[in-house]
Amino acid sequence: MGHGLQLHVRIYTDQGIFGHGEGTDAVQGGAPLVRMFRRFLVGQDPLNVEALWERIRTAGIFAGAQGGQYTAALSAVETALWDLAGKAMGIPVYQLLGGKCRDRVRLYCDSQTEDPKDPEAPKKIAGIVDMGFTAAKIDIDEAMDPNRWDRVNWTASNAEVDRMVAKVKFMRESLPARTDLAVDMHGRYDMTTGKRVAKELEPFKLLFLEEPVPPENVDAMRDIRESTSTPICCGENLFLRHGFRTVLERRAADIIMPDLQKVGGLLEGRKIADMAHVYYTPFAPHCVVSPIGTMASCHVCAAVPNFLVLEWHWISRLELWKNFVREGDIIEKGFVTLPDRPGIGVEMNEEAARKVQVKDTPWFEPGL
Ligand code: MG
């Protein structure tokens, strides 16, 4: 349990090494799925990552393998296989994904400054800048906004739109001019609202506006994109290459943001980035996981040419972040430098991780 739920998976070998991977969000049913995946893995050569991945995926086409819990669990397993392969060969995962385009990966800080009227907000924002981040993100959707006319319908009222714009203005004016600002609407609103907000935010020169409408209707996302100069980003709830094919073909987004802990894994992320590169579209992954999954994502971000920026979402859990892996804090001045250690290059501090284990969930089961 960090930012939401995470699923940690280890794959053990008869050579005394193991690989560690992480899945997220849709992982409530992850443990039984991973147990079911065992029959595809036991006795196999773990270095044949693509073949193992494809067998597990195709075995589940009647069981939800198109997305959600199935691909989140598959992502964790796939990442563990890459960690294992790197350790077995004595090389970092980025080397297995094509080598490095960059030595360090730029992060943006999901600021969690929810209320500009909060007297602590200026201090929190200054803290983000002090930590060295060169980009930040805020959320402007608000389920409890008293100006909402309706608890179910998400067409924003004028007062709601004004609140959103005021929040962006406050954040923009509080950050140094060179710090990029991204804004998330969490796919909650309708077309009318999405178009209005994207238009009204144009003067703020956002890094991106994320999911003004839900991601399933690619044409709706494209209509908003075509109506504004604000760059539109989407994809944290799309799955596999197939989820991104239509987004790219229809030019529905300026920037894509697959979550490598649920989209299908590291190589799937690399393939999606490559598809996007054909459309000259930057790759800015969603990321809410522990330092293990974050570092795994960094290996992909280092390996693809069109990487833009990677999310970081643990500012309100700094102590846990710093203690979750034995290597300590992997972020330095808003960047992660890729380690040259074999595999992903970070190992869980089990004592810290056990403290946040969700009640009634299993720990690793190496003997089964
Ligand atoms: Mg988001």
Side-chain angles (χ1 to χ4, degrees):
M1 186 85 158
H3 178 75
L5 286 178
Q6 278 88 40
L7 169 72
H8 288 268
V9 171
R10 282 180 178 170
I11 299 175
Y12 297 84
T13 66
D14 54 9
Q15 295 180 1
I17 53 173
F18 66 82
H20 190 128
E22 187 170 359
T24 197
D25 285 351
V27 292
Q28 285 86 350
L33 278 169
V34 172
R35 287 194 195 105
M36 192 266 280
F37 295 166
R38 270 188 192 133
R39 65 192 167 95
F40 299 101
L41 299 165
V42 173
Q44 300 298 310
D45 181 346
L47 300 184
N48 294 323
V49 181
E50 175 103 40
L52 294 170
W53 184 93
E54 188 70 355
R55 282 194 69 203
I56 295 172
R57 184 186 72 82
T58 53
I61 57 170
F62 296 96
Q66 294 77 11
Q69 302 211 29
Y70 200 99
T71 55
L74 178 55
S75 301
V77 167
E78 190 262 14
T79 303
L81 288 169
W82 285 118
D83 186 38
L84 189 52
K87 286 171 176 168
M89 288 188 256
I91 54 175
V93 169
Y94 66 77
Q95 216 73 68
L96 296 163
L97 296 171
K100 277 192 289 191
C101 290
R102 54 196 64 79
D103 294 326
R104 55 182 201 156
V105 166
R106 182 186 180 213
L107 305 186
Y108 68 84
C109 178
D110 198 301
S111 69
Q112 304 203 281
T113 45
E114 302 306 337
D115 180 7
K117 295 196 193 89
D118 172 5
E120 297 290 303
K123 205 167 87 187
K124 285 185 193 165
I125 298 165
I128 292 167
V129 176
D130 282 349
M131 287 167 81
F133 285 99
T134 58
K137 187 164 91 180
I138 54 169
D139 302 333
I140 56 170
D141 56 302
E142 176 51 71
M144 302 311 289
D145 190 325
N147 298 303
R148 284 185 71 190
W149 298 120
D150 188 309
R151 285 285 147 234
V152 179
N153 181 290
W154 280 85
T155 310
S157 64
N158 284 346
E160 281 181 271
V161 174
D162 290 348
R163 176 191 56 73
M164 294 180 197
V165 174
K167 187 170 183 182
V168 173
K169 184 170 187 287
F170 169 76
M171 191 68 179
R172 183 61 276 169
E173 288 171 355
S174 303
L175 289 169
R178 69 182 293 273
T179 305
D180 284 323
L181 176 62
V183 171
D184 194 353
M185 295 177 77
H186 287 117
R188 295 196 202 276
Y189 294 90
D190 60 12
M191 176 76 85
T192 314
T193 307
K195 278 189 179 173
R196 285 186 63 195
V197 173
K199 195 84 192 160
E200 295 211 24
L201 296 184
E202 285 177 359
F204 300 104
K205 296 194 172 86
L206 298 182
L207 180 63
F208 56 75
L209 177 65
E210 182 176 329
E211 299 194 340
V213 288
E216 302 91 352
N217 187 334
V218 169
D219 295 320
M221 196 73 78
R222 186 201 54 211
D223 285 353
I224 293 178
R225 186 197 169 210
E226 285 180 349
S227 74
T228 180
S229 63
T230 297
I232 302 297
C233 178
C234 76
E236 70 172 275
N237 291 309
L238 298 174
F239 297 93
L240 304 170
R241 276 159 283 167
H242 310 283
F244 288 86
R245 181 176 68 87
T246 41
V247 169
L248 293 164
E249 283 181 353
R250 306 276 182 87
R251 323 285 197 270
D254 296 279
I255 296 164
I256 56 155
M257 53 172 322
D259 184 318
L260 308 188
Q261 283 72 46
K262 57 184 182 180
V263 79
L266 305 186
L267 184 57
E268 191 67 2
R270 154 120 236 176
K271 290 174 180 175
I272 291 164
D274 290 340
M275 283 167 51
H277 196 35
V278 175
Y279 291 87
Y280 315 124
T281 299
F283 171 77
H286 180 259
C287 189
V288 294
V289 287
S290 83
I292 299 172
T294 301
M295 186 62 93
S297 288
C298 285
H299 284 270
V300 178
C301 295
V304 302
N306 49 331
F307 166 70
L308 177 65
V309 70
L310 175 68
E311 180 170 12
W312 179 67
H313 213 309
W314 281 39
I315 191 151
S316 56
R317 295 162 191 83
L318 266 183
E319 275 312 295
L320 180 61
W321 175 263
K322 288 174 183 170
N323 289 315
F324 201 88
V325 290
R326 298 207 290 262
E327 291 73 12
D329 192 353
I330 61 169
I331 303 175
E332 196 183 341
K333 291 282 166 200
F335 288 80
V336 173
T337 299
L338 272 298
D340 291 328
R341 294 183 288 276
I344 294 171
V346 288
E347 295 296 337
M348 179 185 263
N349 172 1
E350 294 197 14
E351 202 186 319
R354 278 206 188 257
K355 284 186 191 153
V356 288
Q357 182 182 4
V358 177
K359 198 166 170 284
D360 299 328
T361 57
W363 194 249
F364 304 109
E365 301 167 335
L368 294 177

